[in-house]
Amino acid sequence: MARREIGLRLNGSNRRIEVEDQVLLIDLVRSLGLVGTKLSCDTQVCGACTVLLDGRPVSSCTTLAIEADGRAVETIEGLADAGAPGRAPKLHPLQQAFIDRFAFQCGYCTPGMIMAAKALLDERPHPDAAAIQHWMEGNICRCTGYQTIVEAVLDAADRSRRLP
Amino acid sequence: MADAVSLRQRYGEDAAIYAGGTELLLAMKLGIARWPHLIDIKPIDQLRRVAATKDLLRIGATVTHWELERDPVVAKALPALARLEANVANIRVRAAGTLAGNLAFAEPHADPPALLVALGARVVLESAAGSRTLLVGEFITGMYQTALGPGELIVAIEIPLPARDVRMAYVKFKVLERPSLAVAAVATIRDGRFVGAPSVVIGAVDEVPRAVPTADFASADVRDPRTAEALAEAARAAVDPSDDLAGSADYKRHLVGVFVQRALGSLIAGAA
Ligand SMILES: Cc1cc2nc3c(=O)[nH]c(=O)nc-3n(C[C@H](O)[C@H](O)[C@H](O)COP(=O)(O)OP(=O)(O)OC[C@H]3O[C@@H](n4cnc5c(N)ncnc54)[C@H](O)[C@@H]3O)c2cc1C
């Protein structure tokens, strides 16, 4: 198998990494310690492995790592602000809203849920519940029954509206 | 583009065209398919374009469902396609998957083929020998089977744009990830009657999209319940469903009738 060097912007930092052609994006990010991205169905049905590639949500389980060459990859680890030294990181409004609204139980689907929701809010900062449901249709949660997830996304949109 | 064509020529069956990879990579991961080489066509600029003239919409081979859902040219020229695209699969598959890849894979449980056949759309194929154009209905020849030659690739999909007063409906039924049944209907309705015969195509039920014979419906009164029932009956007779995970053959045949009536209702209600 051929190896090649790719250059990508991973959660805001430029990286050069050597990868084999057949390596999947999920395996690349997890091998770099970004294990928030989860493998589940492995067939693009469940959304647990959702990451953003140039802002668009993709299933990292079915995306070749070489697709990231020259592009920006965002994973759940990139959302919180590092904060001042010695201080706790400040969570992204979506992360905080998921906590406040009890929008997860086991948490396995949550990174994918939040990344999908981030892509939505980046494109449409103030979606209604129906738009959220349509957008998140392909992200499966077996614990929550979805209602709290929709509420969390609505809440996060609302919080961003109130930001200065 | 020339490189892609010559690589295709050089490797033949040893290489697959690689676009969004939403089907190809799944098949490769499952071990159903193995290719020593993939030819990535996404870097080819000219395949990324969407353009419309007064009577033709041309969609390049690497344009994704996501892009079609948002493209202002599509929204203006063919809003029915934009709506269909917004409901294909899920956001991630839409973000990566292309319309051309969808047609080339020829998975029967797909959305676009029914509407494209109803509109008389064509695929433009290119190989070292030159280019040729086939109707989508001729291109898809069976389950996972197409008329694509070993040296060919799809470069574009061309959709003739109907006159302004033509109405379109696309309705589907889905229990699993992909549609179990789809109905596309294209017709002109004036003074409560069809002008000419409507075009009605059933997707996802048979191995290929099935056009319903509708010659008898030219000038039919669209609100007459007998029209709806006769159209549903013609559609039920046109399909040859089999029992599978999406339901029994009888159930699917029944649903075809129900959804043809819904499509008719939507044509009547819809603006031109
Ligand atoms: C979970 C899931 C749900 C889905 N749901 C739906 C749904 O609801 N409705 C629906 O319609 N579809 C659905 N699909 C299918 C999806 O639309 C198609 O997978 C996608 O559009 C295929 O395009 P691609 O670019 O990813 O093709 P690829 O995976 O890159 O290629 C698919 C096949 O086409 C060939 N190919 C690709 N481009 C060309 C070309 N230009 N010329 C010649 N050959 C080419 C490849 O060699 C390969 O054999 C679903 C898929 C998944 C995984």
Side-chain angles (χ1 to χ4, degrees), chain A residues 24 42-47 50 56-59 61-64 67 116 123 134-135 137-139, chain B residues 18 21-22 25-26 29 38 40 42 64 66-67 70 86-87 89-95 174 177:
Chain A
L24 295 164
D42 212 4
T43 54
Q44 300 172 87
V45 172
C46 78
T50 306
R56 293 186 193 177
V58 297
S59 299
C61 75
T62 313
T63 303
L64 292 174
E67 289 291 342
E123 180 175 281
H134 176 63
W135 187 277
E137 230 167 46
N139 284 80
Chain B
Y18 163 56
T22 60
L25 296 179
L26 274 189
K29 284 199 301 184
L38 298 182
D40 185 2
K42 292 190 294 301
T64 59
W66 172 286
E67 287 154 359
R70 289 164 176 76
N87 290 290
N90 57 47
I91 41 163
R92 301 176 306 279
V93 172
R94 291 201 290 278
K174 179 163 124 161
E177 278 298 309

mmCIF file of all heavy atoms in Angstrom, chain A residues 24 42-47 50 56-59 61-64 67 116 123 134-135 137-139, chain B residues 18 21-22 25-26 29 38 40 42 64 66-67 70 86-87 89-95 174 177:
data_model
loop_
_atom_site.group_PDB
_atom_site.id
_atom_site.type_symbol
_atom_site.label_atom_id
_atom_site.label_comp_id
_atom_site.label_asym_id
_atom_site.label_seq_id
_atom_site.Cartn_x
_atom_site.Cartn_y
_atom_site.Cartn_z
ATOM 1 N N LEU A 24 -8.659 4.943 7.216
ATOM 2 C CA LEU A 24 -9.887 5.724 7.335
ATOM 3 C C LEU A 24 -9.673 6.902 8.274
ATOM 4 O O LEU A 24 -8.861 6.831 9.204
ATOM 5 C CB LEU A 24 -11.032 4.829 7.834
ATOM 6 C CG LEU A 24 -11.396 3.719 6.841
ATOM 7 C CD1 LEU A 24 -12.230 2.633 7.506
ATOM 8 C CD2 LEU A 24 -12.123 4.298 5.624
ATOM 9 N N ASP A 42 -20.500 1.575 11.503
ATOM 10 C CA ASP A 42 -19.527 1.389 10.422
ATOM 11 C C ASP A 42 -20.163 1.410 9.025
ATOM 12 O O ASP A 42 -19.573 0.948 8.065
ATOM 13 C CB ASP A 42 -18.758 0.064 10.624
ATOM 14 C CG ASP A 42 -17.325 0.140 10.104
ATOM 15 O OD1 ASP A 42 -16.905 1.230 9.664
ATOM 16 O OD2 ASP A 42 -16.636 -0.903 10.126
ATOM 17 N N THR A 43 -21.409 1.906 8.921
ATOM 18 C CA THR A 43 -22.081 1.934 7.615
ATOM 19 C C THR A 43 -22.760 3.284 7.336
ATOM 20 O O THR A 43 -23.677 3.363 6.515
ATOM 21 C CB THR A 43 -23.155 0.830 7.513
ATOM 22 O OG1 THR A 43 -24.046 0.967 8.626
ATOM 23 C CG2 THR A 43 -22.549 -0.557 7.530
ATOM 24 N N GLN A 44 -22.365 4.349 8.038
ATOM 25 C CA GLN A 44 -22.913 5.697 7.814
ATOM 26 C C GLN A 44 -24.365 5.867 8.197
ATOM 27 O O GLN A 44 -25.049 6.763 7.708
ATOM 28 C CB GLN A 44 -22.759 6.115 6.344
ATOM 29 C CG GLN A 44 -21.329 6.135 5.890
ATOM 30 C CD GLN A 44 -21.259 6.353 4.395
ATOM 31 O OE1 GLN A 44 -21.254 7.485 3.959
ATOM 32 N NE2 GLN A 44 -21.228 5.276 3.655
ATOM 33 N N VAL A 45 -24.850 4.962 9.042
ATOM 34 C CA VAL A 45 -26.242 5.045 9.451
ATOM 35 C C VAL A 45 -26.377 5.777 10.791
ATOM 36 O O VAL A 45 -27.303 6.546 10.997
ATOM 37 C CB VAL A 45 -26.862 3.629 9.546
ATOM 38 C CG1 VAL A 45 -28.250 3.678 10.171
ATOM 39 C CG2 VAL A 45 -26.928 2.987 8.153
ATOM 40 N N CYS A 46 -25.423 5.572 11.719
ATOM 41 C CA CYS A 46 -25.671 5.983 13.107
ATOM 42 C C CYS A 46 -25.147 7.372 13.464
ATOM 43 O O CYS A 46 -25.663 8.006 14.376
ATOM 44 C CB CYS A 46 -25.100 4.950 14.062
ATOM 45 S SG CYS A 46 -23.305 5.067 14.259
ATOM 46 N N GLY A 47 -24.095 7.832 12.817
ATOM 47 C CA GLY A 47 -23.598 9.184 13.089
ATOM 48 C C GLY A 47 -22.632 9.323 14.261
ATOM 49 O O GLY A 47 -22.161 10.427 14.540
ATOM 50 N N THR A 50 -19.297 11.085 13.407
ATOM 51 C CA THR A 50 -19.368 12.341 12.649
ATOM 52 C C THR A 50 -18.233 13.306 13.008
ATOM 53 O O THR A 50 -18.018 13.614 14.179
ATOM 54 C CB THR A 50 -20.707 13.065 12.916
ATOM 55 O OG1 THR A 50 -21.773 12.160 12.646
ATOM 56 C CG2 THR A 50 -20.850 14.317 12.048
ATOM 57 N N ARG A 56 -18.337 20.497 6.692
ATOM 58 C CA ARG A 56 -19.462 19.605 6.391
ATOM 59 C C ARG A 56 -19.364 18.318 7.206
ATOM 60 O O ARG A 56 -18.280 17.755 7.334
ATOM 61 C CB ARG A 56 -19.468 19.211 4.912
ATOM 62 C CG ARG A 56 -19.764 20.375 4.009
ATOM 63 C CD ARG A 56 -19.905 19.876 2.578
ATOM 64 N NE ARG A 56 -19.873 21.004 1.661
ATOM 65 C CZ ARG A 56 -19.911 20.904 0.350
ATOM 66 N NH1 ARG A 56 -19.962 19.714 -0.218
ATOM 67 N NH2 ARG A 56 -19.892 21.976 -0.411
ATOM 68 N N PRO A 57 -20.493 17.856 7.713
ATOM 69 C CA PRO A 57 -20.460 16.626 8.501
ATOM 70 C C PRO A 57 -20.219 15.410 7.604
ATOM 71 O O PRO A 57 -20.872 15.269 6.568
ATOM 72 C CB PRO A 57 -21.870 16.558 9.109
ATOM 73 C CG PRO A 57 -22.736 17.351 8.172
ATOM 74 C CD PRO A 57 -21.856 18.407 7.562
ATOM 75 N N VAL A 58 -19.277 14.563 7.995
ATOM 76 C CA VAL A 58 -19.064 13.315 7.247
ATOM 77 C C VAL A 58 -18.924 12.167 8.248
ATOM 78 O O VAL A 58 -18.625 12.376 9.418
ATOM 79 C CB VAL A 58 -17.787 13.360 6.351
ATOM 80 C CG1 VAL A 58 -17.917 14.430 5.276
ATOM 81 C CG2 VAL A 58 -16.520 13.575 7.177
ATOM 82 N N SER A 59 -19.158 10.962 7.742
ATOM 83 C CA SER A 59 -18.939 9.764 8.550
ATOM 84 C C SER A 59 -17.458 9.440 8.439
ATOM 85 O O SER A 59 -16.994 8.993 7.389
ATOM 86 C CB SER A 59 -19.750 8.592 7.998
ATOM 87 O OG SER A 59 -21.129 8.866 8.038
ATOM 88 N N CYS A 61 -15.964 7.037 9.544
ATOM 89 C CA CYS A 61 -15.764 5.589 9.369
ATOM 90 C C CYS A 61 -15.723 5.205 7.902
ATOM 91 O O CYS A 61 -15.291 4.114 7.555
ATOM 92 C CB CYS A 61 -16.881 4.803 10.059
ATOM 93 S SG CYS A 61 -18.466 4.836 9.174
ATOM 94 N N THR A 62 -16.236 6.069 7.028
ATOM 95 C CA THR A 62 -16.315 5.731 5.609
ATOM 96 C C THR A 62 -15.728 6.872 4.776
ATOM 97 O O THR A 62 -16.204 7.182 3.689
ATOM 98 C CB THR A 62 -17.782 5.401 5.212
ATOM 99 O OG1 THR A 62 -18.321 4.507 6.192
ATOM 100 C CG2 THR A 62 -17.877 4.705 3.861
ATOM 101 N N THR A 63 -14.716 7.520 5.337
ATOM 102 C CA THR A 63 -14.005 8.583 4.628
ATOM 103 C C THR A 63 -12.527 8.244 4.704
ATOM 104 O O THR A 63 -12.025 7.936 5.791
ATOM 105 C CB THR A 63 -14.252 9.941 5.322
ATOM 106 O OG1 THR A 63 -15.659 10.187 5.383
ATOM 107 C CG2 THR A 63 -13.573 11.078 4.576
ATOM 108 N N LEU A 64 -11.851 8.270 3.583
ATOM 109 C CA LEU A 64 -10.414 7.986 3.613
ATOM 110 C C LEU A 64 -9.676 9.165 4.244
ATOM 111 O O LEU A 64 -10.013 10.329 3.990
ATOM 112 C CB LEU A 64 -9.891 7.744 2.187
ATOM 113 C CG LEU A 64 -10.388 6.468 1.502
ATOM 114 C CD1 LEU A 64 -9.930 6.423 0.040
ATOM 115 C CD2 LEU A 64 -9.918 5.215 2.246
ATOM 116 N N GLU A 67 -8.502 12.100 2.202
ATOM 117 C CA GLU A 67 -9.450 13.156 1.815
ATOM 118 C C GLU A 67 -9.212 14.438 2.613
ATOM 119 O O GLU A 67 -9.670 15.512 2.228
ATOM 120 C CB GLU A 67 -10.893 12.706 2.037
ATOM 121 C CG GLU A 67 -11.383 11.642 1.078
ATOM 122 C CD GLU A 67 -11.553 12.158 -0.342
ATOM 123 O OE1 GLU A 67 -11.633 13.383 -0.541
ATOM 124 O OE2 GLU A 67 -11.581 11.314 -1.255
ATOM 125 N N ALA A 116 -22.624 17.137 14.474
ATOM 126 C CA ALA A 116 -23.684 17.352 13.472
ATOM 127 C C ALA A 116 -24.420 18.648 13.771
ATOM 128 O O ALA A 116 -24.674 19.466 12.878
ATOM 129 C CB ALA A 116 -24.656 16.167 13.472
ATOM 130 N N GLU A 123 -24.347 26.752 9.757
ATOM 131 C CA GLU A 123 -25.033 27.146 8.520
ATOM 132 C C GLU A 123 -26.302 27.943 8.817
ATOM 133 O O GLU A 123 -26.663 28.871 8.095
ATOM 134 C CB GLU A 123 -25.381 25.904 7.686
ATOM 135 C CG GLU A 123 -26.092 26.255 6.381
ATOM 136 C CD GLU A 123 -26.344 25.056 5.477
ATOM 137 O OE1 GLU A 123 -25.393 24.629 4.803
ATOM 138 O OE2 GLU A 123 -27.478 24.549 5.439
ATOM 139 N N HIS A 134 -34.921 17.162 11.216
ATOM 140 C CA HIS A 134 -34.570 16.722 9.868
ATOM 141 C C HIS A 134 -33.048 16.571 9.749
ATOM 142 O O HIS A 134 -32.544 15.589 9.227
ATOM 143 C CB HIS A 134 -35.116 17.705 8.835
ATOM 144 C CG HIS A 134 -34.724 17.368 7.427
ATOM 145 N ND1 HIS A 134 -35.117 16.198 6.813
ATOM 146 C CD2 HIS A 134 -33.959 18.027 6.532
ATOM 147 C CE1 HIS A 134 -34.593 16.163 5.587
ATOM 148 N NE2 HIS A 134 -33.888 17.258 5.390
ATOM 149 N N TRP A 135 -32.322 17.551 10.239
ATOM 150 C CA TRP A 135 -30.857 17.548 10.132
ATOM 151 C C TRP A 135 -30.244 16.376 10.902
ATOM 152 O O TRP A 135 -29.275 15.764 10.451
ATOM 153 C CB TRP A 135 -30.320 18.871 10.681
ATOM 154 C CG TRP A 135 -28.858 19.080 10.488
ATOM 155 C CD1 TRP A 135 -27.857 18.602 11.275
ATOM 156 C CD2 TRP A 135 -28.220 19.831 9.439
ATOM 157 N NE1 TRP A 135 -26.643 19.015 10.791
ATOM 158 C CE2 TRP A 135 -26.838 19.766 9.667
ATOM 159 C CE3 TRP A 135 -28.702 20.559 8.340
ATOM 160 C CZ2 TRP A 135 -25.905 20.400 8.828
ATOM 161 C CZ3 TRP A 135 -27.782 21.188 7.515
ATOM 162 C CH2 TRP A 135 -26.401 21.095 7.750
ATOM 163 N N GLU A 137 -31.670 13.539 11.780
ATOM 164 C CA GLU A 137 -32.312 12.246 11.497
ATOM 165 C C GLU A 137 -31.306 11.093 11.443
ATOM 166 O O GLU A 137 -31.604 9.979 11.851
ATOM 167 C CB GLU A 137 -32.943 12.346 10.104
ATOM 168 C CG GLU A 137 -34.352 11.914 9.989
ATOM 169 C CD GLU A 137 -34.893 12.372 8.634
ATOM 170 O OE1 GLU A 137 -34.198 12.193 7.591
ATOM 171 O OE2 GLU A 137 -35.992 12.921 8.623
ATOM 172 N N GLY A 138 -30.137 11.371 10.891
ATOM 173 C CA GLY A 138 -29.132 10.331 10.706
ATOM 174 C C GLY A 138 -28.181 10.184 11.891
ATOM 175 O O GLY A 138 -27.119 9.603 11.748
ATOM 176 N N ASN A 139 -28.537 10.733 13.050
ATOM 177 C CA ASN A 139 -27.720 10.527 14.260
ATOM 178 C C ASN A 139 -28.576 9.768 15.260
ATOM 179 O O ASN A 139 -29.598 10.272 15.721
ATOM 180 C CB ASN A 139 -27.275 11.867 14.860
ATOM 181 C CG ASN A 139 -26.152 12.496 14.061
ATOM 182 O OD1 ASN A 139 -26.401 13.102 13.024
ATOM 183 N ND2 ASN A 139 -24.932 12.330 14.520
ATOM 184 N N TYR B 18 -13.848 6.653 -8.232
ATOM 185 C CA TYR B 18 -14.102 6.956 -6.829
ATOM 186 C C TYR B 18 -14.587 8.400 -6.740
ATOM 187 O O TYR B 18 -13.876 9.322 -7.115
ATOM 188 C CB TYR B 18 -12.799 6.714 -6.062
ATOM 189 C CG TYR B 18 -12.686 7.323 -4.691
ATOM 190 C CD1 TYR B 18 -13.633 7.047 -3.704
ATOM 191 C CD2 TYR B 18 -11.614 8.150 -4.374
ATOM 192 C CE1 TYR B 18 -13.513 7.590 -2.436
ATOM 193 C CE2 TYR B 18 -11.481 8.685 -3.105
ATOM 194 C CZ TYR B 18 -12.428 8.415 -2.140
ATOM 195 O OH TYR B 18 -12.297 8.954 -0.896
ATOM 196 N N GLY B 21 -17.593 7.984 -2.471
ATOM 197 C CA GLY B 21 -17.191 6.776 -1.749
ATOM 198 C C GLY B 21 -18.245 6.232 -0.804
ATOM 199 O O GLY B 21 -17.998 5.260 -0.091
ATOM 200 N N THR B 22 -19.434 6.830 -0.800
ATOM 201 C CA THR B 22 -20.437 6.400 0.188
ATOM 202 C C THR B 22 -20.901 4.968 -0.066
ATOM 203 O O THR B 22 -21.302 4.279 0.862
ATOM 204 C CB THR B 22 -21.662 7.337 0.218
ATOM 205 O OG1 THR B 22 -22.269 7.357 -1.061
ATOM 206 C CG2 THR B 22 -21.276 8.749 0.634
ATOM 207 N N LEU B 25 -16.735 2.701 -0.724
ATOM 208 C CA LEU B 25 -15.924 2.370 0.452
ATOM 209 C C LEU B 25 -16.658 1.378 1.356
ATOM 210 O O LEU B 25 -16.033 0.512 1.969
ATOM 211 C CB LEU B 25 -15.542 3.637 1.233
ATOM 212 C CG LEU B 25 -14.641 4.629 0.488
ATOM 213 C CD1 LEU B 25 -14.346 5.847 1.355
ATOM 214 C CD2 LEU B 25 -13.338 3.986 0.035
ATOM 215 N N LEU B 26 -17.989 1.502 1.419
ATOM 216 C CA LEU B 26 -18.758 0.521 2.197
ATOM 217 C C LEU B 26 -18.539 -0.870 1.633
ATOM 218 O O LEU B 26 -18.260 -1.823 2.362
ATOM 219 C CB LEU B 26 -20.255 0.824 2.121
ATOM 220 C CG LEU B 26 -20.859 1.807 3.103
ATOM 221 C CD1 LEU B 26 -22.384 1.788 2.976
ATOM 222 C CD2 LEU B 26 -20.451 1.471 4.522
ATOM 223 N N LYS B 29 -15.063 -2.034 2.392
ATOM 224 C CA LYS B 29 -14.873 -2.399 3.804
ATOM 225 C C LYS B 29 -15.496 -3.753 4.102
ATOM 226 O O LYS B 29 -14.973 -4.544 4.873
ATOM 227 C CB LYS B 29 -15.527 -1.348 4.720
ATOM 228 C CG LYS B 29 -14.723 -0.076 4.836
ATOM 229 C CD LYS B 29 -15.116 0.747 6.054
ATOM 230 C CE LYS B 29 -16.572 1.149 6.039
ATOM 231 N NZ LYS B 29 -16.902 2.016 7.183
ATOM 232 N N LEU B 38 -8.113 2.993 -7.299
ATOM 233 C CA LEU B 38 -9.275 3.874 -7.347
ATOM 234 C C LEU B 38 -8.880 5.115 -8.139
ATOM 235 O O LEU B 38 -7.785 5.644 -7.950
ATOM 236 C CB LEU B 38 -9.707 4.297 -5.931
ATOM 237 C CG LEU B 38 -10.155 3.183 -4.985
ATOM 238 C CD1 LEU B 38 -10.592 3.789 -3.641
ATOM 239 C CD2 LEU B 38 -11.297 2.370 -5.575
ATOM 240 N N ASP B 40 -9.758 8.779 -8.415
ATOM 241 C CA ASP B 40 -10.492 9.855 -7.741
ATOM 242 C C ASP B 40 -10.801 10.947 -8.753
ATOM 243 O O ASP B 40 -9.884 11.592 -9.270
ATOM 244 C CB ASP B 40 -9.636 10.401 -6.591
ATOM 245 C CG ASP B 40 -10.371 11.445 -5.764
ATOM 246 O OD1 ASP B 40 -11.553 11.718 -6.045
ATOM 247 O OD2 ASP B 40 -9.750 11.988 -4.824
ATOM 248 N N LYS B 42 -12.764 13.594 -8.035
ATOM 249 C CA LYS B 42 -13.164 14.843 -7.375
ATOM 250 C C LYS B 42 -12.262 16.037 -7.681
ATOM 251 O O LYS B 42 -12.748 17.167 -7.674
ATOM 252 C CB LYS B 42 -13.265 14.624 -5.852
ATOM 253 C CG LYS B 42 -14.418 13.692 -5.490
ATOM 254 C CD LYS B 42 -14.699 13.640 -4.002
ATOM 255 C CE LYS B 42 -13.590 13.020 -3.183
ATOM 256 N NZ LYS B 42 -13.268 11.612 -3.563
ATOM 257 N N THR B 64 -22.468 16.915 -5.343
ATOM 258 C CA THR B 64 -23.059 16.077 -4.295
ATOM 259 C C THR B 64 -24.544 16.395 -4.073
ATOM 260 O O THR B 64 -25.036 17.444 -4.480
ATOM 261 C CB THR B 64 -22.327 16.307 -2.955
ATOM 262 O OG1 THR B 64 -22.447 17.693 -2.613
ATOM 263 C CG2 THR B 64 -20.851 15.930 -3.051
ATOM 264 N N TRP B 66 -25.722 17.189 -1.268
ATOM 265 C CA TRP B 66 -25.668 18.379 -0.395
ATOM 266 C C TRP B 66 -25.652 19.656 -1.237
ATOM 267 O O TRP B 66 -26.354 20.627 -0.957
ATOM 268 C CB TRP B 66 -24.404 18.262 0.462
ATOM 269 C CG TRP B 66 -24.011 19.425 1.301
ATOM 270 C CD1 TRP B 66 -23.457 20.604 0.882
ATOM 271 C CD2 TRP B 66 -24.107 19.524 2.737
ATOM 272 N NE1 TRP B 66 -23.183 21.407 1.962
ATOM 273 C CE2 TRP B 66 -23.574 20.774 3.107
ATOM 274 C CE3 TRP B 66 -24.569 18.659 3.736
ATOM 275 C CZ2 TRP B 66 -23.496 21.197 4.438
ATOM 276 C CZ3 TRP B 66 -24.494 19.077 5.059
ATOM 277 C CH2 TRP B 66 -23.972 20.330 5.400
ATOM 278 N N GLU B 67 -24.826 19.655 -2.280
ATOM 279 C CA GLU B 67 -24.718 20.842 -3.130
ATOM 280 C C GLU B 67 -25.991 21.063 -3.941
ATOM 281 O O GLU B 67 -26.449 22.196 -4.103
ATOM 282 C CB GLU B 67 -23.493 20.720 -4.043
ATOM 283 C CG GLU B 67 -22.199 20.915 -3.256
ATOM 284 C CD GLU B 67 -20.980 20.229 -3.863
ATOM 285 O OE1 GLU B 67 -21.110 19.553 -4.913
ATOM 286 O OE2 GLU B 67 -19.902 20.342 -3.281
ATOM 287 N N ARG B 70 -28.713 22.757 -2.104
ATOM 288 C CA ARG B 70 -28.496 24.183 -1.828
ATOM 289 C C ARG B 70 -28.251 25.050 -3.063
ATOM 290 O O ARG B 70 -28.186 26.267 -2.934
ATOM 291 C CB ARG B 70 -27.263 24.332 -0.931
ATOM 292 C CG ARG B 70 -27.496 23.866 0.469
ATOM 293 C CD ARG B 70 -26.183 23.659 1.214
ATOM 294 N NE ARG B 70 -26.432 23.290 2.601
ATOM 295 C CZ ARG B 70 -26.829 22.077 2.975
ATOM 296 N NH1 ARG B 70 -27.020 21.130 2.072
ATOM 297 N NH2 ARG B 70 -27.054 21.811 4.254
ATOM 298 N N ALA B 86 -32.849 17.078 -0.764
ATOM 299 C CA ALA B 86 -32.807 17.410 0.661
ATOM 300 C C ALA B 86 -33.267 16.241 1.521
ATOM 301 O O ALA B 86 -33.084 16.239 2.738
ATOM 302 C CB ALA B 86 -33.683 18.631 0.941
ATOM 303 N N ASN B 87 -33.864 15.238 0.881
ATOM 304 C CA ASN B 87 -34.380 14.095 1.634
ATOM 305 C C ASN B 87 -33.733 12.774 1.257
ATOM 306 O O ASN B 87 -34.239 11.705 1.594
ATOM 307 C CB ASN B 87 -35.899 14.032 1.477
ATOM 308 C CG ASN B 87 -36.566 15.177 2.214
ATOM 309 O OD1 ASN B 87 -36.582 15.209 3.434
ATOM 310 N ND2 ASN B 87 -37.041 16.164 1.465
ATOM 311 N N ALA B 89 -31.071 10.007 1.899
ATOM 312 C CA ALA B 89 -30.181 9.487 2.943
ATOM 313 C C ALA B 89 -30.155 10.377 4.182
ATOM 314 O O ALA B 89 -31.188 10.809 4.668
ATOM 315 C CB ALA B 89 -28.769 9.294 2.372
ATOM 316 N N ASN B 90 -28.959 10.661 4.705
ATOM 317 C CA ASN B 90 -28.799 11.545 5.861
ATOM 318 C C ASN B 90 -27.759 12.611 5.500
ATOM 319 O O ASN B 90 -27.131 12.539 4.443
ATOM 320 C CB ASN B 90 -28.384 10.739 7.103
ATOM 321 C CG ASN B 90 -27.101 9.944 6.884
ATOM 322 O OD1 ASN B 90 -26.122 10.477 6.373
ATOM 323 N ND2 ASN B 90 -27.104 8.675 7.250
ATOM 324 N N ILE B 91 -27.559 13.591 6.375
ATOM 325 C CA ILE B 91 -26.687 14.713 6.009
ATOM 326 C C ILE B 91 -25.275 14.281 5.603
ATOM 327 O O ILE B 91 -24.677 14.884 4.732
ATOM 328 C CB ILE B 91 -26.523 15.788 7.121
ATOM 329 C CG1 ILE B 91 -26.388 15.152 8.488
ATOM 330 C CG2 ILE B 91 -27.604 16.824 7.063
ATOM 331 C CD1 ILE B 91 -25.829 16.112 9.517
ATOM 332 N N ARG B 92 -24.747 13.258 6.274
ATOM 333 C CA ARG B 92 -23.356 12.877 5.982
ATOM 334 C C ARG B 92 -23.237 12.226 4.609
ATOM 335 O O ARG B 92 -22.288 12.489 3.860
ATOM 336 C CB ARG B 92 -22.832 11.930 7.065
ATOM 337 C CG ARG B 92 -22.882 12.529 8.448
ATOM 338 C CD ARG B 92 -22.438 11.525 9.497
ATOM 339 N NE ARG B 92 -23.186 10.275 9.443
ATOM 340 C CZ ARG B 92 -24.390 10.079 9.964
ATOM 341 N NH1 ARG B 92 -24.998 11.048 10.608
ATOM 342 N NH2 ARG B 92 -25.000 8.920 9.842
ATOM 343 N N VAL B 93 -24.220 11.372 4.277
ATOM 344 C CA VAL B 93 -24.206 10.740 2.953
ATOM 345 C C VAL B 93 -24.460 11.812 1.886
ATOM 346 O O VAL B 93 -23.836 11.813 0.828
ATOM 347 C CB VAL B 93 -25.249 9.604 2.876
ATOM 348 C CG1 VAL B 93 -25.389 9.082 1.451
ATOM 349 C CG2 VAL B 93 -24.873 8.470 3.829
ATOM 350 N N ARG B 94 -25.337 12.767 2.204
ATOM 351 C CA ARG B 94 -25.581 13.843 1.239
ATOM 352 C C ARG B 94 -24.328 14.701 1.047
ATOM 353 O O ARG B 94 -24.047 15.168 -0.050
ATOM 354 C CB ARG B 94 -26.739 14.750 1.696
ATOM 355 C CG ARG B 94 -28.088 14.074 1.642
ATOM 356 C CD ARG B 94 -29.226 15.084 1.598
ATOM 357 N NE ARG B 94 -29.451 15.830 2.822
ATOM 358 C CZ ARG B 94 -30.129 15.396 3.870
ATOM 359 N NH1 ARG B 94 -30.647 14.183 3.863
ATOM 360 N NH2 ARG B 94 -30.304 16.161 4.930
ATOM 361 N N ALA B 95 -23.589 14.924 2.141
ATOM 362 C CA ALA B 95 -22.406 15.786 2.055
ATOM 363 C C ALA B 95 -21.334 15.174 1.160
ATOM 364 O O ALA B 95 -20.582 15.886 0.504
ATOM 365 C CB ALA B 95 -21.841 16.057 3.450
ATOM 366 N N LYS B 174 -40.549 5.077 3.276
ATOM 367 C CA LYS B 174 -39.254 4.597 3.726
ATOM 368 C C LYS B 174 -39.409 3.979 5.110
ATOM 369 O O LYS B 174 -39.939 4.621 6.003
ATOM 370 C CB LYS B 174 -38.349 5.832 3.744
ATOM 371 C CG LYS B 174 -36.971 5.668 4.187
ATOM 372 C CD LYS B 174 -36.167 6.881 3.721
ATOM 373 C CE LYS B 174 -35.513 7.546 4.905
ATOM 374 N NZ LYS B 174 -34.413 8.410 4.566
ATOM 375 N N GLU B 177 -33.211 2.650 5.803
ATOM 376 C CA GLU B 177 -32.437 3.825 5.449
ATOM 377 C C GLU B 177 -32.839 4.407 4.099
ATOM 378 O O GLU B 177 -32.856 5.598 3.893
ATOM 379 C CB GLU B 177 -30.962 3.452 5.369
ATOM 380 C CG GLU B 177 -30.289 3.435 6.714
ATOM 381 C CD GLU B 177 -30.320 4.790 7.366
ATOM 382 O OE1 GLU B 177 -29.936 5.761 6.712
ATOM 383 O OE2 GLU B 177 -30.744 4.868 8.537
#
